[in-house]
């Protein structure tokens, strides 16, 4: 509930239209012009009016019938319909009018109009010289015939589940009522991922070659749609160490087996938990979460860690003209990791935070303030202030940026420094593709430090690209310095989707240089390929080369198979 995530899902939409014979007959026999369905227009082939002016054409009036008899039903004949955009043919029932006769040859003209349909107008009924029917079919039309979007595979079964089927059809169990008045309908299931990697990495000074494994195992107990308990274990890794085998720099086995609980929290909503006890006249839109939980703020620049904490979130606020404002108060008392890349737990540290999100028509703003009371392992008190936002410019350019300031209280340490980190992302989707072209830049002034960073999460610049991101698996490090301290740099990359979007290839080039001390400029290029197969598996292949001013050329090669269950 405290996580901020963005999901994109794109899929093809196929629509088709048909000619309504009854509509054509009613139009010819109408005494006055009536508006047809907004998604279809009937035009004569000799009409020269432009689409922009759209003159209203009156229908040809029929002679008054003093007997007020109903108009005769037209005789229907089979006509060949030609789609001019594709040349395909189809058969439709076309009315054969006594006056005038309509040719059985009809033409359907398609038009790419993606905006909302505009009201249609009627042209005069066809004459002898106007012998073809041109019908515009707007792709936004709702049709009477259903066309399947795609043949989707069946959802794979969960490893273990109990209660109502997970997103399955059928009746829902009644559940039971607890003393607070809430109706609980428990549902439990197990999910997670297993990853195994064979990789080698050379940072220019030390080469590491290893086979490492990671297992993320979660048990989720849903009580209501808003209340749940989540417990998670990572039995194959602990504090940045992983289980497997290492050939370089030392030939040895790697053992990080453990039974530690990595995640355990309860989250819920007051109005759902106490529906019969709260005063209905008071707005109780308050969510909460308590326990060891993942926290991710300012795209991971401010906080990216699993912390023993409690968060209380107030939703449905409308401050400063926003359409929605969310305010979260956060207190963390244990399991706080700190650092700038090599992150370690600062035992005894506490974290306090006020985290806000503001939504406007074309802009989302985040303003966060945190204070860390340093522990006795790393130490150092520090305050962090971050302002970030994202928007879409001109309908084609996505922009995300943030200003992050850390202020050390007293002497600076590895976990608390004074500095500024400016970060910006620009991305766009090239025409006629589902790909992503992006440019990321940053400027680090002095010794910026995050409020909290997990042991496997690397430096604060992980969002700058695959050359800066930590893999979170073994000792395979980023190709470029991701600390954000006294550096300036960036990356440009292209994400290309292959096939039915079950494959992707990312190519990237980036660089970073120091602003203080000895010049330590580095330029790198890298690529990453991912393939999803058999519903549960993902194959990842990655490679990078780094050219460094003061060190030897570095490189990295890795292959990972991930199984999701």
């Amino acid at each position: 509930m405290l996580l901020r995530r963005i999901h994109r899902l794109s899929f093809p939409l196929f629509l088709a239209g048909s000619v309504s014979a009854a509509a054509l007959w009613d139009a010819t026999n109408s005494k006055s012009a009536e508006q047809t369905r907004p998604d279809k227009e009937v035009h004569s082939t000799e009409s020269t009016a432009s689409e922009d002016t759209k003159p209203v054409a009156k229908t040809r009036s029929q002679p008054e019938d003093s007997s007020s008899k109903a108009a005769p039903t037209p005789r229907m004949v089979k006509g060949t319909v030609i789609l001019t955009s594709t040349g395909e043919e189809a058969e439709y029932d076309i009315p054969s009018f006594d006056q005038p006769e309509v040719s059985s040859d009809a033409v359907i003209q398609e038009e790419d109009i993606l905006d909302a349909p505009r009201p249609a107008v009627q042209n005069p009924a066809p004459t002898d010289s106007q012998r073809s029917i041109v019908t515009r079919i707007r792709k936004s039309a709702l049709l009477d015939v259903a066309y399947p979007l795609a043949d989707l595979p069946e959802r794979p079964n969960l490893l273990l589940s109990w209660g109502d089927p997970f997103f399955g059809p059928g009746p829902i169990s009644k559940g039971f009522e607890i003393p607070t008045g809430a109706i609980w309908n428990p549902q439990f299931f197990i999910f997670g991922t297993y990853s195994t990697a064979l990789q080698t990495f050379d940072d220019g000074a030390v080469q590491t070659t290893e086979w490492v494994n990671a297992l993320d195992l979660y048990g989720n107990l849903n009580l209501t749609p808003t209340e749940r308990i989540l417990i998670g274990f990572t039995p194959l890794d602990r504090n940045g160490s992983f289980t497997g085998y290492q050939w370089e720099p030392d030939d040895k086995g790697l053992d990080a087996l453990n039974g530690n609980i990595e995640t355990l929290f309860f989250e819920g909503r007051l109005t759902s938990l106490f529906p019969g006890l709260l005063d209905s006249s008071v707005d109780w839109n308050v969510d909460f979460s308590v326990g060891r939980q993942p926290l991710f703020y300012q795209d991971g620049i401010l906080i990216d860690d699993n912390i023993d904490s409690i968060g209380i979130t107030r939703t449905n606020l409308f401050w400063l003209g926003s359409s929605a404002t969310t305010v979260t108060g956060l207190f963390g008392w244990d399991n706080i990791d700190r650092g700038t890349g090599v992150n370690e737990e600062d035992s005894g540290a506490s974290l306090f935070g006020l985290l806000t999100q503001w939504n406007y028509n074309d802009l989302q703003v985040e303003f966060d303030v945190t204070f860390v009371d340093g522990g006795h392992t790393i130490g150092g008190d520090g305050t962090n202030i971050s302002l970030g936002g994202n928007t879409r410019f001109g309908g084609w350019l996505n922009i995300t940026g943030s200003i992050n300031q850390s202020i050390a209280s007293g002497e600076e340490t590895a976990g608390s420094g004074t500095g500024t980190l400016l970060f910006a992302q620009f991305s766009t989707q090239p025409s006629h593709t589902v790909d992503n072209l992006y440019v990321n830049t940053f400027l680090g002034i002095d010794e910026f430090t995050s409020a909290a960073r997990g042991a496997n999460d690397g430096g604060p610049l992980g969002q700058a690209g695959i050359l800066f991101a930590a893999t979170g698996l073994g000792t395979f490090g980023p190709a470029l310095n991701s600390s954000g301290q006294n550096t300036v740099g960036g990356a440009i990359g292209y994400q290309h989707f292959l096939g039915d979007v079950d494959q992707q290839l990312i190519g990237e080039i980036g660089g970073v240089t120091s602003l203080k001390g000895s010049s330590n400029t580095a330029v790198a290029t890298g690529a990453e390929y991912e393939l999803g197969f058999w519903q549960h598996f993902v194959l990842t292949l990655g490679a990078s080369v780094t050219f460094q001013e003061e060190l030897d050329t570095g490189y990295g090669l890795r292959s990972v198979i991930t199984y999701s269950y």
Side-chain angles (χ1 to χ4, degrees):
M1 185 167 297
L2 297 178
L3 299 179
R4 298 173 182 169
R5 299 177 179 173
I6 299 177
H7 300 268
R8 291 177 53 187
L9 175 64
S10 61
F11 55 88
L13 179 64
F14 300 94
L15 295 176
S18 62
V19 176
S20 172
L24 289 174
W25 176 251
D26 291 341
T28 352
N29 289 275
S30 173
K31 296 181 180 179
S32 60
E34 294 181 357
Q35 212 171 34
T36 62
R37 284 179 55 186
D39 56 320
K40 297 185 178 180
E41 299 174 9
V42 180
H43 293 272
S44 68
T45 53
E46 294 184 355
S47 174
T48 58
S50 67
E51 182 69 14
D52 296 332
T53 56
K54 284 190 174 292
V56 178
K58 297 180 180 180
T59 57
R60 185 175 60 183
S61 300
Q62 301 294 331
E64 293 287 346
D65 190 351
S66 57
S67 62
S68 301
K69 294 182 180 180
T73 304
R75 180 172 59 88
M76 307 303 294
V77 297
K78 288 291 184 179
T80 301
V81 176
I82 304 174
L83 302 180
T84 58
S85 62
T86 62
E88 297 180 355
E89 296 184 358
E91 286 192 352
Y92 285 88
D93 288 334
I94 302 297
S96 177
F97 296 103
D98 293 334
Q99 180 182 346
E101 182 180 358
V102 180
S103 171
S104 61
D105 294 330
V107 178
I108 300 296
Q109 182 176 358
E110 292 184 339
E111 180 175 340
D112 289 331
I113 299 181
L114 301 179
D115 55 350
R118 289 170 287 184
V121 295
Q122 293 181 349
N123 281 326
T127 63
D128 292 339
S129 61
Q130 301 167 338
R131 304 188 58 82
S132 64
I133 303 172
V134 179
T135 303
R136 298 183 182 273
I137 302 176
R138 300 186 183 275
K139 291 187 177 180
S140 57
L142 296 178
L143 306 174
D144 297 331
V145 181
Y147 290 86
L149 296 178
D151 293 328
L152 300 178
E154 293 185 3
R155 181 187 297 113
N157 294 326
L158 294 168
L159 187 65
L160 176 65
S161 63
W162 171 78
D164 290 333
F166 180 67
F167 287 121
I172 300 175
S173 303
K174 293 182 179 180
F176 59 90
E177 184 175 351
I178 64 175
T180 62
I183 303 297
W184 282 7
N185 183 15
Q187 179 195 48
F188 178 78
F189 54 89
I190 291 177
F191 68 98
T193 59
Y194 166 72
S195 299
T196 181
L198 183 63
Q199 54 196 18
T200 182
F201 179 74
D202 189 337
D203 62 2
V206 178
Q207 181 176 355
T208 302
T209 304
E210 60 189 2
W211 167 60
V212 289
N213 302 270
L215 175 64
D216 298 319
L217 179 63
Y218 295 97
N220 187 94
L221 176 61
N222 288 333
L223 301 173
T224 73
T226 55
E227 279 71 46
R228 69 164 179 161
I229 299 174
L230 181 68
I231 185 171
F233 302 87
T234 55
L236 300 183
D237 69 276
R238 178 181 67 250
N239 298 329
S241 299
F242 291 80
T243 301
Y245 196 87
Q246 184 182 88
W247 290 275
E248 293 178 299
D250 300 317
D251 193 344
K252 62 180 181 179
L254 303 175
D255 183 8
L257 295 174
N258 69 93
N260 298 338
I261 296 177
E262 183 68 17
T263 303
L264 177 59
F265 66 88
F266 172 76
E267 65 178 352
R269 177 170 295 173
L270 287 183
T271 52
S272 297
L273 198 58
F274 304 100
L277 300 181
L278 299 178
D279 185 356
S280 59
S281 63
V282 179
D283 189 357
W284 292 97
N285 288 306
V286 176
D287 303 329
F288 67 93
S289 181
V290 57
R292 181 167 296 178
Q293 53 191 314
L295 303 178
F296 189 84
Y297 286 95
Q298 295 291 348
D299 291 327
I301 295 177
L302 177 62
I303 300 176
D304 187 3
D305 195 9
N306 271 27
I307 299 177
D308 294 345
S309 58
I310 179 172
I312 300 177
T313 300
R314 179 68 165 86
T315 59
N316 291 351
L317 299 173
F318 307 97
W319 294 351
L320 301 180
S322 67
S323 59
T325 303
T326 301
V327 179
T328 297
L330 178 67
F331 170 63
W333 62 85
D334 197 12
N335 202 49
I336 300 173
D337 295 338
R338 307 173 74 187
T340 58
V342 181
N343 311 318
E344 299 177 355
E345 182 178 355
D346 190 8
S347 301
S350 300
L351 185 149
F352 306 84
L354 181 64
L355 313 158
T356 66
Q357 184 180 86
W358 314 68
N359 293 322
Y360 296 90
N361 289 339
D362 300 314
L363 177 67
Q364 183 182 77
V365 178
E366 299 176 8
F367 179 69
D368 306 318
V369 179
T370 63
F371 173 76
V372 177
D373 184 7
H376 52 264
T377 304
I378 297 178
D381 299 345
T383 301
N384 285 74
I385 304 174
S386 295
L387 174 64
N390 63 81
T391 186
R392 186 171 177 85
F393 179 77
W396 63 277
L397 181 63
N398 306 305
I399 304 175
T400 299
S402 65
I403 303 173
N404 306 272
Q405 178 69 46
S406 65
I407 305 172
S409 301
E411 184 178 355
E412 295 188 3
T413 67
S416 177
T418 298
T420 305
L421 179 59
L422 308 178
F423 182 69
Q425 293 178 303
F426 306 89
S427 66
T428 187
Q429 178 178 316
S431 299
H432 309 294
T433 73
V434 293
D435 299 344
N436 182 37
L437 172 65
Y438 61 89
V439 177
N440 303 326
T441 62
F442 63 87
L443 171 63
I445 304 172
D446 296 330
E447 309 293 328
F448 171 82
T449 54
S450 300
R453 303 205 61 77
N456 299 329
D457 297 324
L461 290 175
Q463 292 290 323
I466 60 175
L467 297 175
F468 296 88
T471 63
L473 187 59
T475 58
F476 195 99
L480 295 172
N481 178 11
S482 62
S483 68
Q485 295 185 339
N486 292 308
T487 56
V488 60
I492 180 171
Y494 192 88
Q495 180 184 25
H496 176 55
F497 291 94
L498 305 169
D500 295 329
V501 201
D502 56 353
Q503 304 177 65
Q504 70 169 6
L505 177 64
I506 301 176
E508 187 175 291
I509 183 171
V512 61
T513 187
S514 301
L515 297 179
K516 287 185 178 181
S518 59
S519 176
N520 188 16
T521 301
V523 177
T525 183
E528 184 175 279
Y529 170 77
E530 286 190 349
L531 168 67
F533 60 99
W534 296 347
Q535 289 192 306
H536 293 274
F537 293 88
V538 175
L539 169 66
T540 302
L541 302 176
S544 65
V545 179
T546 306
F547 304 96
Q548 306 171 95
E549 187 173 0
E550 296 185 352
L551 296 173
D552 294 337
T553 299
Y555 63 88
L557 295 171
R558 63 192 301 258
S559 61
V560 185
I561 293 181
T562 301
Y563 170 70
S564 299
Y565 53 88

